[in-house]
């Protein structure tokens, strides 16, 4: 160690030298600055090389105080005189050349009469100190920045980053600063964040793309870059001063710090390139790490969302611990409390049907690294739900202690369900085809011909041959010879039009023919060329035979109807004829073709038509048949009476579609009935002859008496007008009475009108009494006539009802007179009574003649049944009466009361209009 070194070290330790040796060494004039001072501190001499660095090198004429050589702030350390300074280390800043201070350190020691101040230059030492301090601050700043960036939450990262940039600009007085990172595609640089001082221009904005130019800088040394020496740098600082600091990671430059309007030499001379690199690393390293963390976080979130959406997730098997870890999304999907569970428990979770296989596959994967791929059902924690289908895949990765068994599970329930329902539908279809009575076939198109390539299983049971035995020629041979034309035409039409429906017979292997309904369609390829024909054969033998039978039976019925002697027709509910057979046409004296369209109603009176339509309205699917006698007024003909039977034809909803009718001409029967009624009437009239004679004699007697009296008075000449008038009036009254009787007789004797008319049945009682009352009373019979005061209408002929009443009363009279013959004391009576309700009116004729022998009760309405002597009784009275009441829609009946026979005429009442 040299003496100079020791000195320097001592100096740096700022301790005054303890030994003289040092003082001597210092006093060597080749080093530092030696100043001789007088006792008052005035400079007497300057020596040593440093004196040339002082502004005031020459000694003044008058010695000046040492403080005049010093920068003002140094003066304090030399207050007083040199004697006071002894033993102190003095740091003094002298006015140096170029106004630069000269930092010197030294101390005084006595010398002769004065003092010697020896000083050494400590400028470098101070610079280093300052640099060290600055570097320290820089390190502190770096660690603060780094800490802030590392510790902040991710959402606050941009804010914290901006804050750190702001701090940097303030501390280092950088006007514009920015951090550039690789863009999303890692192809160019992009301003991640920038900060500009308030008075600085805006050089950049966040997100600004900087291109790839920065890459060309990565070859420069950091020193070059920080000194701003690269010509391209200006591009990034708007042609102003600036520099960039790179940040390297394992892959190369990962970030740039850009500082604009800034010269390192001027503003931060104390910071070297390492300081800048450190600062940049403090910014970029945590930033990049946090951004990676953020990306990772987002990635995880996306993955999680994806897994949840797809019902998928990873799993890992820890074979050493026999445990399985499931992704959280999977665990929650399956309703598991923990994602990590013993393999045993996991297998419990798997459907029993798949458990063994999965276990075996897992072992195989664990032991032999055999890749696992299995579709399995996993039970849900909620057992009410059906198990979920998962596709399970797994593999072993890595080796040795890094070997891991990992895989994923994908929810494939939807696909599985679809597969299952498709399989079920397929099975159903197969089943349907197999069990279908139809044979489904496919014929391949080969150069204009169709060759069978497929038949469904139903071919064999139907025709007794299989596809193997089948070729086009054999098919043709099996078609019935009569139907071969249809068969060839079917193929031609299929090829021409793309679809066809045909019907022909084909022979089965037993030799029986089947009627086949053949429906086929031609399938074409994308170019429209025929590929194959798909079709089906339906065995319609039964239906065809049935249809043939129906046709034949229809033909038979048609002949039957055409040739039937009965009149047969069909007509619509509005009475329009749609068909009439030959006898009907013959009756109407026209051709059968002329009948359709004719309205039946046109042959009826309005009343008849109304009754006819109302009878049709009573038809129903349950009671589809109705028979009635109808009266027709045929043009240019007499009234015709037909017995008309209708059968209604109904649709599914029970609506009447059509009526089929069979008619029989009953006019002759009607006529003879009418004649019978007429003769019965005449017989009744004959019966009444006695009564009538009395009835007419009575007024004649009265008139004769009056005339005799008048003539007597005329003979006496004693004739007053009053007397004459009174007699003539009496005669007139009697004439009227006789005329009434005769009139009634005439009306009664007439044939009944053809058309029934509405009338009050009590009118018939009155008429009957007018004819019979006098005669009956004359024979000593009491007539008891009851309540007859109500107004009611029935339909029929009043004279016919009168005839019925006369018959009943005459029969009663005969029975009563016969009884009185035997018993003179017998008091005979006949009671006439009437009553009505909403539907019916009933007329009663009762006598006290003792009634009818119960054994004969059933027979008395038979024609020609009588108990009266031959020539007296006709046996027609009751039978004709029965027919009349029936024609009026009513009923005549008899019972034996306690007195005698009690006849009842019940008639339907016409609704009030
Ligand atoms: P007829 O009076 O010509 O015998 P009817 O047909 O009128 O023919 O009567 C048939 C029979 O019914 C009579 O012969 C008689 O025996 C019996 N008959 C009818 N009315 C009565 C009655 N009121 N009382 C007893 N018998 C009666």
């Amino acid at each position: 160690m040299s003496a100079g070194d020791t000195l320097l070290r001592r100096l740096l330790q700022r301790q005054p030298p303890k030994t003289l040796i040092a003082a001597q060494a210092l006093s060597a004039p080749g080093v530092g600055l030696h100043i001789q001072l007088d006792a008052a501190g005035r400079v007497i001499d300057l020596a040593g090389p440093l004196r040339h660095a002082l502004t005031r090198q020459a000694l003044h004429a008058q010695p000046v105080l040492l403080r005049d050589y010093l920068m003002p702030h140094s003066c304090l350390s030399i207050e007083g005189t040199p004697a006071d300074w002894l033993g102190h280390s003095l740091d003094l800043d002298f006015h140096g050349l170029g106004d630069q201070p000269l930092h010197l350190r030294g101390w005084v020691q006595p010398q002769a009469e004065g003092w010697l101040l020896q000083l050494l230059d400590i400028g470098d030492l101070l610079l280093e100190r300052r640099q060290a301090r600055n570097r320290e601050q820089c390190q502190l700043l770096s660690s603060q920045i780094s800490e802030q960036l590392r510790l902040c939450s991710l959402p606050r990262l941009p804010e914290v980053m901006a804050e750190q940039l702001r701090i940097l600009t303030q501390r280092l007085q950088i006007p514009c600063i920015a951090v550039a990172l690789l863009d999303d595609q890692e192809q160019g640089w992009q301003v991640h964040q920038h900060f500009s001082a308030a008075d600085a221009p805006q050089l950049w904005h966040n997100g600004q793309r900087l291109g790839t130019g920065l890459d060309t800088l990565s070859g420069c040394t950091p020193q070059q870059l920080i000194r701003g020496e690269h010509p391209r740098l200006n591009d990034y600082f708007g042609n102003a001063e600036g520099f960039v600091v790179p940040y390297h990671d394992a892959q190369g430059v990962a970030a740039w710090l850009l500082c604009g309007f800034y010269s390192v030499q001027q503003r931060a001379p104390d910071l070297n390139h390492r300081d800048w690199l450190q600062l940049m690393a403090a910014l970029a390293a945590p930033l990049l790490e946090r951004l990676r963390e953020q990306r990772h976080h987002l990635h995880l979130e996306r993955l999680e969302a994806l897994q949840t959406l797809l019902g998928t997730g990873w799993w890992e098997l820890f074979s050493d611990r026999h445990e399985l870890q499931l992704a959280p999304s999977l665990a929650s999907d399956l309703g598991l409390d923990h994602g990590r569970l013993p393999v045993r428990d996991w297998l419990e979770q798997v459907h029993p049907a798949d458990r063994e296989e999965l276990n075996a596959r897992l072992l195989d994967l664990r032991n032999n690294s055999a890749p696992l791929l299995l579709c399995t059902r996993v039970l849900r924690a909620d057992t009410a739900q059906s198990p979920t289908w998962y596709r399970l895949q797994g593999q072993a990765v890595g080796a040795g202690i890094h070997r891991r068994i990992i895989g994923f599970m994908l929810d494939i329930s939807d696909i599985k369900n679809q597969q299952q329902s498709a399989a079920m539908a397929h099975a159903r279809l197969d089943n349907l085809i197999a069990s279908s009575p139809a044979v489904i076939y496919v014929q391949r198109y080969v150069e204009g011909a169709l060759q069978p390539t497929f038949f469904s299983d139903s071919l064999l049971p139907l025709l007794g041959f299989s596809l193997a035995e089948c070729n086009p020629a054999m098919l043709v041979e099996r078609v019935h010879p009569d139907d071969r034309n249809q068969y060839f035409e079917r193929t031609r039409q299929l090829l021409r039009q793309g679809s066809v429906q045909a019907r022909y017979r084909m022979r089965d292997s037993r030799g029986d023919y089947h009627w086949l309904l053949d429906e086929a369609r031609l399938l074409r390829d994308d170019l429209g060329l025929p590929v194959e024909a798909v079709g089906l054969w339906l065995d319609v033998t039964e239906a065809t035979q049935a249809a043939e039978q129906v046709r034949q039976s229809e033909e038979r019925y048609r002949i039957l109807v055409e040739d039937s002697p009965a009149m047969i027709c069909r007509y619509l509910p509005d009475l329009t004829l749609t068909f009439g057979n030959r006898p009907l046409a013959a009756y109407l004296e026209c051709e059968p073709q002329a009948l359709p369209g004719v309205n039946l109603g046109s042959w009826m009176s309005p009343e008849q038509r109304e009754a006819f339509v109302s009878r049709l309205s009573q038809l129903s699917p349950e009671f589809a048949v109705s028979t009635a006698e109808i009266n027709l007024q045929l043009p240019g003909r007499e009234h015709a009476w037909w017995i008309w039977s209708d059968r209604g034809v109904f649709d599914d909803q029970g609506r009447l579609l059509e009526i089929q009718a069979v008619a029989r001409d009953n006019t002759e029967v009607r006529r003879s009935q009418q004649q019978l009624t007429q003769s019965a009437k005449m017989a009744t009239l004959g019966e009444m002859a006695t009564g009538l004679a009395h009835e007419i004699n009575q007024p004649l007697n009265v008139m004769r008496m009056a005339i005799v009296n008048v003539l007597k008075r005329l003979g006496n000449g004693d004739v007053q007008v009053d007397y004459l008038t009174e007699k003539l009036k009496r005669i007139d009254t009697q004439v009227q009475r006789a005329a009434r009787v005769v009139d009634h007789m005439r009306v009664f004797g007439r044939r009944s009108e053809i058309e029934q008319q509405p009338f009050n049945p009590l009118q018939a009682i009155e008429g009957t009494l007018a004819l019979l009352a006098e005669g009956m009373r004359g024979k000593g019979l009491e007539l008891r006539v009851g309540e007859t005061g109500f107004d009611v209408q029935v339909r029929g002929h009043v004279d016919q009802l009168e005839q019925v009443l006369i018959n009943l009363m005459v029969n009663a009279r005969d029975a009563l007179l016969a009884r009185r013959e035997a018993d003179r004391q017998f008091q005979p009576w006949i009671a006439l009574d009437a009553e009505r309700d909403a539907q019916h009116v009933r007329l009663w004729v009762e006598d006290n003649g003792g009634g009818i022998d119960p054994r004969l009760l059933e027979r008395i309405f038979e024609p020609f049944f009588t108990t009266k002597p031959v020539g007296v009784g006709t046996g027609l009275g009751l039978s004709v009466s029965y027919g009349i009441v029936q024609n009026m829609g009513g009923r005549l009946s008899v019972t034996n009361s306690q007195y005698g026979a009690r006849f009842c005429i019940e008639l339907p009442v016409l609704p009030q209009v």
Side-chain angles (χ1 to χ4, degrees), residues 687 807-816 845 847 849-853 856 859-868 872-881 894 896 900-903:
E687 289 277 346
N807 280 338
L808 297 180
M809 285 187 66
V810 166
N811 278 345
R813 181 203 64 193
D814 289 350
L816 291 171
V845 180
D847 61 61
I852 305 159
D853 182 343
L856 303 180
R859 299 196 54 208
I860 56 165
F861 294 110
E862 286 174 14
F864 309 113
F865 175 83
T866 179
T867 55
K868 295 172 191 170
V872 177
T874 60
L876 281 177
L878 284 182
S879 113
V880 168
S881 299
V894 64
N896 277 326
R902 187 165 191 249
F903 283 84

Side-chain angles (χ1 to χ4, degrees), residues 502-539:
R503 200 185 267 261
Y504 45 83
R505 279 162 288 180
M506 189 169 294
R507 198 177 66 243
D508 66 16
S509 48
R510 288 199 310 276
D512 296 335
Y513 279 100
H514 295 258
W515 273 103
L516 297 184
L517 177 69
D518 183 356
E519 272 193 33
R521 186 169 283 274
L522 192 65
L523 305 181
R524 298 171 188 274
D525 64 10
D526 295 347
L527 299 172
L529 298 172
V531 178
E532 58 187 21
V534 179
L536 56 83
W537 280 335
L538 197 64
D539 185 356

